[in-house]
Amino acid sequence: MSAKRVLVTGGSGFIGSHLCERLLSDGADVLCVDNFYSGEKRNVSHLLSNSRFEILRHDITLPLYVEVDEIYHLACPASPVHYQKDSVRTMKTCFYGAVNMLDLALRTGAKILFSSTSEVYGDPKEHPQNESYWGNVNPVGIRSCYDEGKRASESLFFDYHRQYRIPIKVARIFNTYGPRMHPNDGRVVSNFIVQALENRDITVYGDGSQTRSFCYVDDLVCALIALMNDTGNDFTGPVNLGNPAEFTIIELAKKVIEMTDSSSEIVFKALPQDDPSRRKPDISLAKSALNWMPRVSLDEGLEKTVQYFTVGIGG
Ligand code: UDP
């Protein structure tokens, strides 16, 4: 039997590159599509010698004509710094990207998985967040290009599913971290680690009492694969994927300082507009439907991430 042909949009991004790697090791033919707006070639350069791996520079706001069996649709700048840099483009990437990938799925009969986000819950009034919560999103704020873009994409996925019966899987991904995070994307884990390794001030926004729940990238990739491979097309999601262990940002800062044995000081900066105050996934659905749960603790995952940035900064 010939290998499964899998398209990963945003395949040279942080999560995408780990997914491509895992799909190749599972025996798939992988087509990585990226426009390198926030993804980086070096994230997948080690895969180029594999004859089952292909890379195509393409912007998914334009239609794509390829033959594939499965589509992991990840492409979109995902950190606030990146998605706010050109917010109009972010919304276009979300909306036109979803249309183009859904049309591709319709034409080829491919199963399609969409990487949505915990941002669809906005600044949540329910805690922890489960999939039946509709969210509390500012529709005209500086995060809305991403939040509302992803919400519109989710709508499109479900409309294509209802109207054209295409098999869809919608994952709501919570904060994920690990090697190959972009050092300049402003994410809290990469920011703190880079600052600590360089003994610079650790920038805590607000008073640091806001919380996040951090999932190590390998756990997340396992969940995406389990979701795509879930038999039958009845389970569409949306399903929360993340690690429910919740930490305040100040706790994270202290952990990183201790782990890196850094002389950095914590400094407090203004809290960005619409920054969610609490975030923690309820993952009961992922556990029951996918038989998945995260395995890597924050300490363990941070060690590996620190290691990655230590090598990067040192060399
Ligand atoms: N944050 C911070 N210092 C930084 C970067 C981020 O205190 O240098 C805070 C940010 O305000 C937010 C949390 O860390 O409350 C997570 O931010 P991130 O951008 O990583 O992800 P998101 O806000 O999308 O969850």
Side-chain angles (χ1 to χ4, degrees):
M1 211 176 85
S2 54
K4 194 161 64 174
R5 298 160 306 174
V6 183
L7 166 63
V8 181
T9 74
S12 70
F14 157 52
I15 296 176
S17 64
H18 286 275
L19 178 62
C20 288
E21 213 170 67
R22 166 70 193 273
L23 288 164
L24 286 169
S25 74
D26 287 352
D29 267 352
V30 176
L31 172 58
C32 161
V33 164
D34 212 296
N35 67 351
F36 306 112
Y37 182 74
S38 55
E40 291 195 280
K41 283 185 199 160
R42 68 186 172 127
N43 286 342
V44 288
S45 54
H46 62 297
L47 304 178
L48 289 172
S49 56
N50 188 325
S51 59
R52 283 185 288 103
F53 182 72
E54 274 177 284
I55 188 159
L56 174 67
R57 180 193 284 268
H58 175 80
D59 190 318
I60 46 118
T61 56
L62 300 168
L64 179 66
Y65 298 94
V66 290
E67 301 305 318
V68 287
D69 305 305
E70 288 178 355
I71 303 168
Y72 287 83
H73 178 35
L74 271 55
C76 188
S79 79
V81 167
H82 279 155
Y83 71 64
Q84 286 166 8
K85 197 156 64 186
D86 186 345
S87 47
V88 172
R89 184 175 181 161
T90 299
M91 181 61 98
K92 285 181 177 170
T93 301
C94 288
F95 184 76
Y96 295 130
V99 170
N100 289 326
M101 290 310 115
L102 285 161
D103 282 343
L104 177 63
L106 189 57
R107 191 178 61 74
T108 57
K111 197 195 282 187
I112 182 165
L113 180 151
F114 174 54
S115 68
S116 186
T117 167
S118 55
E119 293 277 331
V120 298
Y121 300 122
D123 190 4
K125 293 204 159 119
E126 282 185 17
H127 195 79
Q129 295 79 55
N130 75 42
E131 293 82 354
S132 60
Y133 177 51
W134 290 354
N136 176 40
V137 173
N138 175 356
V140 294
I142 57 170
R143 292 176 91 106
S144 65
C145 58
Y146 186 70
D147 302 9
E148 295 291 13
K150 290 285 186 176
R151 286 166 70 100
S153 307
E154 283 199 13
S155 298
L156 267 175
F157 267 73
F158 279 88
D159 282 331
Y160 268 69
H161 177 66
R162 280 185 288 259
Q163 212 165 314
Y164 305 121
R165 313 300 316 155
I166 67 168
I168 62 161
K169 305 280 181 189
V170 175
R172 289 184 178 154
I173 300 176
F174 282 64
N175 296 67
T176 301
Y177 70 100
R180 300 194 203 124
M181 290 183 90
H182 198 297
N184 300 324
D185 74 357
R187 291 273 190 190
V188 70
V189 172
S190 42
N191 267 14
F192 285 2
I193 292 178
V194 172
Q195 289 164 344
L197 289 175
E198 293 176 347
N199 295 308
R200 289 190 284 119
D201 288 347
I202 304 275
T203 53
V204 169
Y205 302 157
D207 62 6
S209 63
Q210 70 271 37
T211 68
R212 292 294 185 272
S213 307
F214 300 101
C215 185
Y216 188 64
V217 65
D218 288 356
D219 279 336
L220 198 266
V221 166
C222 285
L224 293 175
I225 302 260
L227 178 58
M228 181 64 102
N229 291 349
D230 175 58
T231 49
N233 298 326
D234 298 339
F235 185 69
T236 56
V239 58
N240 289 339
L241 302 179
N243 189 325
E246 185 183 10
F247 295 86
T248 63
I249 295 305
I250 202 87
E251 280 173 329
L252 177 73
K254 289 179 180 159
K255 217 180 239 306
V256 170
I257 291 176
E258 198 186 304
M259 198 171 274
T260 52
D261 203 14
S262 170
S263 60
S264 294
E265 305 277 343
I266 293 176
V267 296
F268 295 91
K269 302 265 181 187
L271 189 68
Q273 189 194 324
D274 293 335
D275 198 278
S277 54
R278 298 182 80 184
R279 189 184 283 155
K280 167 187 162 109
D282 175 340
I283 58 163
S284 322
L285 181 60
K287 279 185 185 162
S288 61
L290 307 176
N291 194 22
W292 169 86
M293 57 182 281
R295 309 255 164 227
V296 183
S297 69
L298 184 59
D299 282 350
E300 213 182 320
L302 280 179
E303 290 283 1
K304 294 184 191 190
T305 314
V306 166
Q307 177 66 26
Y308 168 79
F309 281 108
T310 307
V311 173
I313 288 170

